[in-house]
């Protein structure tokens, strides 16, 4: 589902539901296409649902600058990318 709230300041929640068992990843990218944060990267069972929270930090623990980001959800036979705005 869509990130909520969006724009975020600084936390946003991304919910997901898995229809097929397999690896699932949720990553946040900057406008240049660089991964700034991996929120989920694991094998999940069929029918599993949940949510992850992006707190505006990168994988190194540094606060990301305000701006436009994208988050990508990848699963078995599925990929979707959506826009996310971070405000300070």
């Amino acid at each position: 589902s869509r990130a909520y709230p969006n724009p975020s300041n600084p936390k946003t929640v991304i919910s997901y539901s898995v229809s097929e068992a397999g690896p699932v990843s949720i990553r946040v990218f900057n406008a240049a296409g660089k991964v700034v944060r991996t929120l989920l990267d694991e094998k999940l069972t069929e029918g599993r649902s949940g949510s992850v929270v992006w707190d505006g930090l990168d994988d190194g623990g540094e606060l990301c600058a305000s701006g436009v980001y994208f988050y990508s959800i990848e699963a078995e036979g599925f990929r979707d990318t959506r826009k996310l705005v971070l405000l300070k």
Side-chain angles (χ1 to χ4, degrees):
S1 66
R2 300 200 183 277
Y4 181 81
N6 186 13
S8 65
N9 182 13
K11 293 184 182 184
T12 190
V13 177
I14 302 168
S15 298
Y16 61 87
S17 179
V18 178
S19 61
E20 295 182 30
V24 178
S25 66
I26 301 176
R27 292 183 174 86
V28 178
F29 298 84
N30 63 18
K34 179 184 174 193
V35 175
V36 295
R37 182 81 180 266
T38 299
L39 301 173
L40 179 69
D41 190 18
E42 61 186 75
K43 187 173 183 175
L44 300 178
T45 57
E46 180 180 339
R48 171 118 181 248
S49 62
S51 61
V52 292
V53 175
W54 184 43
D55 53 8
L57 300 178
D58 65 14
D59 279 330
E62 299 293 321
L63 187 61
C64 293
S66 294
V68 175
Y69 292 84
F70 299 88
Y71 64 98
S72 175
I73 302 173
E74 293 185 44
E76 203 66 37
F78 177 83
R79 181 177 184 174
D80 192 18
T81 301
R82 297 187 180 181
K83 185 167 67 170
L84 175 63
V85 177
L86 176 65
L87 300 176
K88 287 186 186 178

